[in-house]
Amino acid sequence: MLIKITAITALLLTSTVSFANPATSLPTATFAQLAQQQSHKTPLQIIDCRNSNFYNGWPEPQQQRGGHIAGAVNIDTSWLKTLDTSAFKTLLRDKHLQSTLPTYLYCSADKAQQLSTALQAQGYKSLTTIDQPLNLYYGQLSALPNFQQLVPASWLNELINGKHPRYAPKHGYKVVEVEWGPPAKYLLDHIPGALYVNTNTIESEPWWNKVSNTALAKVIANLGIRYDTTVILYARNNMSAARFANFLMYAGVKDVRLLNGGWTAWDNAGYPTEHLPNYNQHPVAFGEKIPANPQYLIDTNQVKALLKKPVNQQSVVSVRTWPEYIGETSGYDYIKPKGRIEGAKWGHAGSDSYHMQDYLNPDQTMKSGAEITAQWAQWNIKPNQDVAFFCGTGWRASEAFFFAHILGWKNISVYDGGWYQWSANKDNPTAEGTVTPASVH
């Protein structure tokens, strides 16, 4: 991302705490030197090559503050292990990075060296590392407003091992794996202590909407979850975990968290697993009337009412592939009609109904907030609006909803019925064909 940032006015420490540099180390700079370069108002770019959780706002070990330098883009060096040359080129293009600009890398020296080698192979010549830990940066750091609700695997590992990590639960916690169908993969391997939820117990036919409030309350009670229980959710594909997160927030659970990167993050970290199933032995009373937050789920009539508002005040967001949005495919073998809700804005998604690449980093963690916000803003989807997300039956929409929550958006919801229920009634207005953001009404 091209940035032009004014000088940091706060006092910057000029002393350095250097990482151990390899023999072929890159030129290094301090934060003060970076600020001096920024004060010249010449174009430059900063790559934060740390883990995305630190970029989002979680402090690194032995550091007090988390987040990232304003304007920095996130490319975790560890992603290189899964990217071929073509995919890496695409990543750089999507990040709007330019090989001709002076580029500053911030992460540990070994990670910076690995990334610089990959960048040099793509023609990047002016590369410099920031040779100080982040606690010596005295400028304003950027962080996601609700980053605590998107937890790192390392944080969860500390929690389940009896430690007291930052932002620890205050009233007990439950870890829950959420998947469709019987617990086949769960019984092979799961996070220690994790309970299991089959989405068939929280969704009902024919539209795969939320079950009745009574049935939902029973599922929640059987898991041992009260309104003040911290619930940490994950899945093999986090869409299903986000679906349950939306339902729990609707019910009134005050502290719902998602494992950033889901099962992939836990597996990549090499943390212990278990295969014996876990059950909550004692159902509990929720402690509040369900739903405490009915605004998080809306129905067809509410969508129609929303669409009557001026386009700058509302967004009904289609979290579906572009071919689904323009009516080339329905996206599902059990949904026959093609097209979109008339007036819906395109919210991006991924390659098909089971993937969300437009929202995820190569390691399946949440893409940077700036990138998600920018792709929404292109379609006039903005945080000051009333925003309702939908997809086919709610899973992709729920992941977009939860990320909007992490971004601090307030007036957000999921249209539970999605395209499946909307398109089943021929009286509901639909549209097909290519459209530009400016022509959506």
Side-chain angles (χ1 to χ4, degrees):
M1 182 180 295
L2 179 63
I3 58 174
K4 298 181 181 179
I5 309 174
T6 58
I8 300 170
T9 56
L11 176 65
L12 286 159
L13 296 181
T14 56
S15 61
T16 66
V17 180
S18 297
F19 296 107
N21 290 318
T24 57
S25 61
L26 294 170
T28 62
T30 66
F31 290 126
Q33 291 167 334
L34 172 63
Q36 185 177 20
Q37 290 299 314
Q38 292 170 331
S39 69
H40 297 158
K41 298 184 179 181
T42 55
L44 58 84
Q45 53 200 10
I46 305 171
I47 300 176
D48 187 329
C49 37
R50 302 173 302 153
N51 181 283
S52 65
N53 292 295
F54 302 142
Y55 180 89
N56 290 343
W58 287 89
E60 293 181 82
Q62 287 77 54
Q63 296 197 30
Q64 297 304 310
R65 299 190 301 163
H68 58 273
I69 299 170
V73 301
N74 184 215
I75 299 180
D76 183 348
T77 299
S78 66
W79 300 346
L80 296 176
K81 293 181 291 186
T82 62
L83 298 174
D84 59 21
T85 300
S86 176
F88 185 55
K89 283 183 178 179
T90 299
L91 180 68
L92 296 175
R93 185 191 67 228
D94 291 346
K95 300 282 186 182
H96 304 290
L97 294 167
Q98 300 180 33
S99 61
T100 56
L101 291 179
T103 303
Y104 290 77
L105 310 181
Y106 173 69
C107 57
S108 62
D110 57 336
K111 294 186 74 171
Q113 187 66 44
Q114 293 174 44
L115 182 57
S116 69
T117 300
L119 290 169
Q120 287 168 345
Q122 298 302 319
Y124 287 69
K125 300 186 184 303
S126 180
L127 296 168
T128 304
T129 62
I130 306 297
D131 196 26
Q132 291 181 301
L134 197 61
N135 61 7
L136 294 185
Y137 180 75
Y138 278 77
Q140 184 69 37
L141 293 174
S142 297
L144 299 178
N146 291 323
F147 71 85
Q148 301 95 330
Q149 308 309 120
L150 192 67
V151 304
S154 58
W155 178 91
L156 181 55
N157 185 56
E158 288 187 17
L159 183 67
I160 64 178
N161 280 288
K163 299 180 181 179
H164 193 79
R166 296 188 197 191
Y167 312 109
K170 296 180 180 178
H171 302 287
Y173 72 92
K174 299 290 183 181
V175 180
V176 183
E177 179 171 330
V178 187
E179 311 287 351
W180 175 79
K185 292 183 178 178
Y186 170 86
L187 291 176
L188 291 175
D189 260 331
H190 57 262
I191 294 175
L195 304 171
Y196 185 80
V197 166
N198 179 345
T199 57
N200 285 333
T201 65
I202 59 173
E203 294 181 315
S204 60
E205 296 184 84
W207 313 120
W208 301 111
N209 287 356
K210 177 191 66 65
V211 294
S212 70
N213 290 335
T214 300
L216 179 63
K218 183 177 180 181
V219 171
I220 294 172
N222 287 338
L223 291 169
I225 294 171
R226 286 174 41 85
Y227 75 94
D228 58 355
T229 304
T230 294
V231 184
I232 303 113
L233 304 169
Y234 77 95
R236 313 290 158 153
N237 179 329
N238 257 359
M239 287 190 293
S240 54
R243 180 69 161 156
F244 193 36
N246 175 242
F247 291 176
L248 290 175
M249 291 170 65
Y250 162 90
V253 178
K254 296 184 180 297
D255 188 10
V256 180
R257 309 194 193 190
L258 194 66
L259 175 60
N260 196 18
W263 171 258
T264 299
W266 188 267
D267 190 46
N268 286 346
Y271 292 131
T273 63
E274 63 180 14
H275 63 274
L276 294 176
N278 298 298
Y279 304 97
N280 178 67
Q281 300 299 325
H282 304 288
V284 299
F286 189 66
E288 284 193 357
K289 183 180 178 180
I290 294 177
N293 297 304
Q295 71 276 11
Y296 287 142
L297 275 170
I298 65 174
D299 60 22
T300 299
N301 288 333
Q302 289 171 299
V303 172
K304 291 179 178 179
L306 197 57
L307 286 167
K308 291 179 181 178
K309 292 185 177 182
V311 70
N312 287 328
Q313 296 180 18
Q314 57 80 17
S315 288
V316 174
V317 183
S318 175
V319 185
R320 303 165 73 209
T321 66
W322 181 251
E324 286 176 274
Y325 180 74
I326 64 174
E328 288 183 354
T329 177
S330 74
Y332 303 81
D333 57 7
Y334 56 87
I335 301 177
K336 300 306 178 185
K338 302 174 184 178
R340 61 180 175 272
I341 295 173
E342 188 174 32
K345 303 172 186 178
W346 188 47
H348 289 257
S351 56
D352 57 34
S353 58
Y354 303 100
H355 293 89
M356 288 278 280
Q357 292 99 327
D358 295 346
Y359 288 81
L360 301 176
N361 294 317
D363 61 356
Q364 303 305 301
T365 57
M366 175 184 169
K367 193 176 281 189
S368 82
E371 291 177 89
I372 292 175
T373 300
Q375 70 186 19
W376 284 342
Q378 290 175 345
W379 285 81
N380 189 24
I381 303 164
K382 298 182 178 179
N384 62 336
Q385 300 170 343
D386 289 330
V387 180
F389 300 97
F390 78 95
C391 55
T393 60
W395 287 34
R396 288 175 289 176
S398 294
E399 191 159 16
F401 164 89
F402 198 83
F403 288 163
H405 170 62
I406 297 297
L407 290 167
W409 291 31
K410 302 297 184 185
N411 300 318
I412 56 174
S413 62
V414 171
Y415 169 35
D416 197 14
W419 176 246
Y420 195 14
Q421 186 172 8
W422 183 277
S423 64
N425 186 341
K426 294 182 179 179
D427 292 333
N428 291 333
T430 63
E432 295 183 10
T434 301
V435 65
T436 61
S439 61
V440 176
H441 298 293

